[in-house]
Amino acid sequence: MGRHVLLIEDEPHIAEAIRYILTRDGWAVTSLDEGGAALAAIRREVPDIVVLDVKLPGRSGYEILDDMRADPALSGLPVLVLSANLPREVPAALPGRGGLSRFLAKPFANADVLAAVRQMAGA
Amino acid sequence: MVPFNILVAVCLAYVCLLFVVAFAAERRAEQGLARWLRSPVIYTLSLSIYCTAWTFYGAVGYAARSGLEFVTIYLGPTIVMAGWWVILRKLVRIGQAQRVTSIADLISSRYGKSNLLGVIVTLICVVAATPYIALQLQSVTLSVGVFASETPEGWALPDQGATALWVAGGLSIFTILFGTRNLDANERHHGIVMAIALEAVVKLVALLAVGIFVVWGIAGGIGDVIDRVNASPIADWPLKPARWMGLTFVAAAALLALPRMFQVMVVENSDERHLATASWAFPLYLMLMSLFVLPIAVVGLGTMPEGANPDLFVLTLPLANGQGKLAMLAFLGGFSSATSMVIVCSIALATMVSNHVVTPLWLSMRQGGVRAPGDVRGLVLMSRRVSIAAILALGYTYYHLSGGSAALAAIGLISFAGVSQILPAMLGGIFWRGATRVGAALGLSVGFGIWLYSLYLPSFGPDGLLSARILAEGPAGIGWLKPQALFGIEGLDPLLHAVFWSLSLNTAVFVGASLLTFPNPVERMQGLAFVNAFDQDPGVRGWSRGGVEAEDLLTMSQGILGADEAQEFFQAEAARQGKGGFLPETTPEFIERLERRLAGSVGTATAHAMISQFAEGAAVSAQDLMAVASEAQQILEYSTQLEAKSEELARTARALQEANDKLKDLSVQKDTFLSQISHELRTPMTSIRAFSEILMDPELPGAMQQKYAEVIHEETIRLTRLLDDLLDLSVLENRKVQLTIKAANLHDLLDKAVQAASNTRPERSFVYNRDTAAEHMPVITDTDRLLQVFINLVSNARKYCDAERPELTILTRKRGGRIIVDFIDNGTGIPRESQRLIFEKFARLTDTQRAGGAGLGLAICREIMVNLGGNILYLPGQGGAAFRVSLPVKPESQQSAEAA
């Protein structure tokens, strides 16, 4: 089983915290701080799971998610969505997107992030 | 003896007097003092143009030749005047109501404003009047000739033709001068009427004077005259009843139909009541005019040499008895008779010619139609002037051609017979609703044709205009077409023969064709207006029984109400009267109700007008038509109002829609704002919580502890700053901010701003372009707040200017009591579509890292500037991002306090 996480998050402090949490658990973490290059990065080296912020410069998290689901090669990739927006603004379609996406509201508990990543990546 | 040159001088003086009188009357009329000009006496005197030179000179000749027959010429008009209530009153009423300008206009207007009829009547009048005008020229010429032959020295006189030419020319000038001065609405001519009233007096006085002289100066008084009459052949003259009746009728008809009589009687009439006076005064005038005709004829026949022209007895008797001055007076009387007739006649004819022939022709030839009103006015005046000259020229030509030989009376009667052809169409028009345009046109044409053929053309004598052969044997030998013995009736007096055939066939064709044809709507309406001329008094309404068919009304109502509704209404009305079926009695009550019902659909005036087409007892008056028009106008105005109202409603709806949209926008903005605040708050909170949890890990190395604690600290400050900004913005937006006004130097403020912003991206070298000299100006405001704006702008420039070598240019100046500060950097600026967003809350255009704020900076700047009485705007087109801050030199409240 792979232990590779792609983290897409523009807030440097949040990215650093998540990286610390996952690295400590034994995950290899690759980081991106904007949305525009996300899809290309995923295709270059398909991770075991993507941790995705919503409000990103370049391209929003939901757009990236939709593109992944439209791509057969990526449609089965688990995605953990993190957002500082109000939970009710999370698109209703999100839970239905192949059951492979989960949503966590910011601020989150570090344990929840770790549990979600572990579970979704099947580790 | 009267020297010829004195005669000419007296004539000229007389004409000058007429000029003065006419001119004075015109002037008074222009000054609005026409009242006394329009008395019944003047009106009656103006009617005296019936007595032309023919009456003045010719009656005596007539009496000398035909005995008492001349009386018929006075009898006919007397009968008409006595019966003024029946015909004349109606003519005058119609003339006023319809603004009739001539007899041709009357006929044309009655028969649906038919110009064809106008042309026919004009033609008849011109042809019939021409010999009459010739007659006047002849009488003046003859009377001048009398003086010439009496001249012992035997002056070389101008020949008679030249005299007639001079008279014709002089009269046309006088007529043009006073007859076409203006285009009076009703063609009234105050000056002319006054002048002919004067002439009426002159001719009456002259004839009476000659009569008195003849009776008491030559004969031995009344008794002697009666003896002389009894002894003369006049007494033995047989009375021919047919001729008497015929002539009386023709004279009566002529009074009504002669263009000049119509002019003075109807057109120039200013008050219907004058007719009442004229009804006895005019016959009296005629009686006085005829009083001495017989004595003068008898005495003339008895005392004058054999072969003397009896037509000139009025002149020659005084002359033969050495009464030069009396003869002169008589001459002036004759001159007056001739001139007044010619003047009025040519005015009347010129009006007809110009209105019915020249103007319509001109208008139809001009494709473009009338461009300017002045166009037509000038044309009409000119065509009248030319017509007057042409009519007199025609008269002169006739005089010239006919040789001036025929007896005066014969020419006069030919004219009378000619114009009397108009009578059937005229009387039919004002008394018979069934008379139609076709009937009138055919009747007039037939009568006119027969008159021309049987009387007018033969009047030029054998081999004049008709060959003697035709006169004797008929055209191509057809005996029953002999002009003076139509249809084989021989031995009748030529005049009676012509009058009988022309008028009876005229009438028969008129009636027959009217019965066979149907009038068009305009004709029908005009017919009603004419026939019911007396029912048009305003306020007189209501319908008389009879004359209207229920079926006609039903047909019309179906067109307006729709078949079902109309039938239902008619059935109900019939049932109300106790009848079955759909056709109720056309009682006035029913028609009233129908009118009201129709009025509901088409408006009262229109309904009235429509029913008037069928019902008797009311006519469509000008007022009714005006009412129709104003009703339409009201409907139009009402619909315009409705339109305006619905426009207003639409505007209100739009305003409501806009308000609603704004509210929705506000609601969306509020949601967006909350969402943005939430995001902005949660982001630092996320870092704080995550690192707090990490710090709880006891195995965390000390260096990391230190680092993560700093992150938490940093994010806490960020959070605090955000909350400060939000509170600040809230205070500023609610205008509840406490301003601390103090004076400062703008230069110092800018220095401080640049200094304060220098820790923004301090790693970059940043160039400021400032004109420090210009910056030294005092400003009185909340300087801390203004500084806050300046710092924000300078920081933004430092943050966002993407130029290789970033520069910020700060320009300051004072304009109209306001300080203006521009901040212009040399970056790529803000895209056009984003420019209007930048002052909104959280409108951060770039990523968070570079901005380092929540995106409230410019929103706060805007609110600060509003609170300071100034503003901040994005200045497009400056190359880079450019902001203009402007504010008053001192606060407005302070300014007004100082001013006060």
Side-chain angles (χ1 to χ4, degrees), chain B residues 370-422:
Chain B
V370 187
R371 292 204 189 91
D375 258 6
V376 178
R377 195 190 142 79
L379 168 89
V380 170
L381 276 178
M382 187 44 68
S383 80
R384 284 197 187 164
R385 285 169 188 155
V386 172
S387 302
I388 286 171
I391 284 157
L392 280 164
L394 267 180
Y396 174 75
T397 308
Y398 185 96
Y399 165 79
H400 200 68
L401 287 178
S402 68
S405 57
L408 294 179
I411 301 183
L413 284 173
I414 290 170
S415 260
F416 277 21
V419 294
S420 63
Q421 301 306 322
I422 302 170

Side-chain angles (χ1 to χ4, degrees), chain B residues 477-489:
Chain B
I478 303 169
W480 61 273
L481 279 181
K482 271 192 280 185
Q484 293 178 331
L486 288 170
F487 310 109
I489 295 183

Side-chain angles (χ1 to χ4, degrees), chain B residues 38 129 231 245 386 418 420 438 489 572 589 694 700 729 769 779 890:
Chain B
R38 288 307 192 184
M245 276 164 56
V386 172
S420 63
V438 177
I489 295 183
E589 295 79 9
I694 291 170
L700 191 71
L729 193 59
N769 302 313
V779 53
K890 49 185 87 168

Side-chain angles (χ1 to χ4, degrees), chain B residues 355-542:
Chain B
N355 284 6
H356 296 282
V357 182
V358 178
T359 312
L361 267 181
W362 183 79
L363 286 178
S364 70
M365 282 188 320
R366 262 186 77 154
Q367 297 286 318
V370 187
R371 292 204 189 91
D375 258 6
V376 178
R377 195 190 142 79
L379 168 89
V380 170
L381 276 178
M382 187 44 68
S383 80
R384 284 197 187 164
R385 285 169 188 155
V386 172
S387 302
I388 286 171
I391 284 157
L392 280 164
L394 267 180
Y396 174 75
T397 308
Y398 185 96
Y399 165 79
H400 200 68
L401 287 178
S402 68
S405 57
L408 294 179
I411 301 183
L413 284 173
I414 290 170
S415 260
F416 277 21
V419 294
S420 63
Q421 301 306 322
I422 302 170
L423 194 67
M426 180 202 249
L427 292 184
I430 64 173
F431 288 109
W432 182 36
R433 280 204 298 127
T436 69
R437 175 191 304 194
V438 177
L442 289 178
L444 280 168
S445 303
V446 166
F448 180 55
I450 295 175
W451 170 77
L452 268 183
Y453 182 64
S454 64
L455 194 60
Y456 189 76
L457 296 180
S459 77
F460 288 88
D463 289 324
L465 287 172
L466 284 181
S467 71
R469 245 177 85 88
I470 291 179
L471 276 176
E473 298 167 21
I478 303 169
W480 61 273
L481 279 181
K482 271 192 280 185
Q484 293 178 331
L486 288 170
F487 310 109
I489 295 183
E490 302 265 2
L492 205 61
D493 175 83
L495 180 78
L496 277 187
H497 167 268
V499 167
F500 172 75
W501 282 118
S502 60
L503 272 179
S504 54
L505 286 180
N506 176 342
T507 308
V509 169
F510 168 60
V511 172
S514 290
L515 289 175
L516 290 175
T517 54
F518 295 96
N520 67 29
V522 182
E523 246 184 289
R524 207 186 301 219
M525 226 142 83
Q526 288 296 96
L528 264 166
F530 276 56
V531 174
N532 300 325
F534 292 118
D535 301 319
Q536 291 186 54
D537 292 328
V540 177
R541 278 225 166 168

Side-chain angles (χ1 to χ4, degrees), chain A residues 53-93:
Chain A
D53 184 26
V54 172
K55 197 171 177 184
L56 290 168
R59 200 164 172 79
S60 93
Y62 291 130
E63 285 171 334
I64 295 166
L65 182 60
D66 286 343
D67 287 346
M68 286 169 65
R69 293 297 175 245
D71 184 346
L74 302 177
S75 61
L77 197 61
V79 178
L80 175 63
V81 176
L82 303 174
S83 175
N85 286 327
L86 297 177
R88 65 180 164 87
E89 290 173 9
V90 176

Side-chain angles (χ1 to χ4, degrees), chain B residues 575-784:
Chain B
R576 189 200 284 261
Q577 295 172 1
K579 286 177 70 179
F582 295 93
L583 299 178
E585 292 288 336
T586 53
T587 59
E589 295 79 9
F590 162 65
I591 298 179
E592 283 287 348
R593 273 199 297 277
L594 177 62
E595 190 186 347
R596 278 201 297 276
R597 182 66 177 265
L598 293 179
S601 293
V602 293
T604 51
T606 312
H608 186 72
M610 300 191 92
I611 289 190
S612 297
Q613 289 191 28
F614 301 92
E616 281 181 349
V620 185
S621 66
Q623 283 109 330
D624 289 338
L625 289 177
M626 288 302 289
V628 172
S630 83
E631 212 163 71
Q633 180 64 28
Q634 278 168 13
I635 291 170
L636 210 69
E637 273 168 17
Y638 182 61
S639 81
T640 312
Q641 280 171 14
L642 274 183
E643 233 166 68
K645 281 225 170 81
S646 78
E647 184 104 342
E648 204 179 303
L649 275 177
R651 255 201 313 275
T652 310
R654 271 201 301 278
L656 279 173
Q657 184 67 42
E658 273 164 23
N660 194 33
D661 289 349
K662 201 170 250 173
L663 280 175
K664 273 187 194 160
D665 281 356
L666 280 175
S667 170
V668 170
Q669 273 177 24
K670 189 199 74 185
D671 288 351
T672 313
F673 183 59
L674 277 176
S675 161
Q676 282 164 335
I677 288 179
S678 160
H679 187 272
E680 296 303 321
L681 290 174
R682 278 165 186 266
T683 301
M685 295 272 280
T686 305
S687 299
I688 291 168
R689 179 173 177 182
F691 283 110
S692 309
E693 289 183 12
I694 291 170
L695 281 176
M696 289 176 208
D697 182 355
E699 293 170 25
L700 191 71
M704 301 288 266
Q705 283 182 18
Q706 173 70 28
K707 186 183 172 195
Y708 294 159
E710 277 172 15
V711 169
I712 290 172
H713 179 246
E714 205 175 297
E715 291 291 342
T716 313
I717 292 172
R718 178 177 164 188
L719 203 55
T720 312
R721 200 170 58 226
L722 174 65
L723 288 170
D724 285 348
D725 281 355
L726 278 171
L727 283 172
D728 202 14
L729 193 59
S730 165
V731 169
L732 286 166
E733 277 182 342
N734 290 317
R735 309 280 182 272
K736 283 177 180 162
V737 62
Q738 192 62 48
L739 296 176
T740 314
I741 309 291
K742 51 189 180 198
N745 188 318
L746 187 64
H747 173 75
D748 297 344
L749 287 179
L750 287 170
D751 270 355
K752 280 184 194 168
V754 169
Q755 186 61 41
S758 60
N759 60 353
T760 307
R761 296 182 81 180
E763 73 284 3
R764 296 176 81 193
S765 70
F766 204 87
V767 178
Y768 294 95
N769 302 313
R770 292 170 61 184
D771 179 0
T772 44
E775 287 171 1
H776 287 285
M777 60 176 86
V779 53
I780 302 170
T781 188
D782 187 328
T783 48
D784 289 347

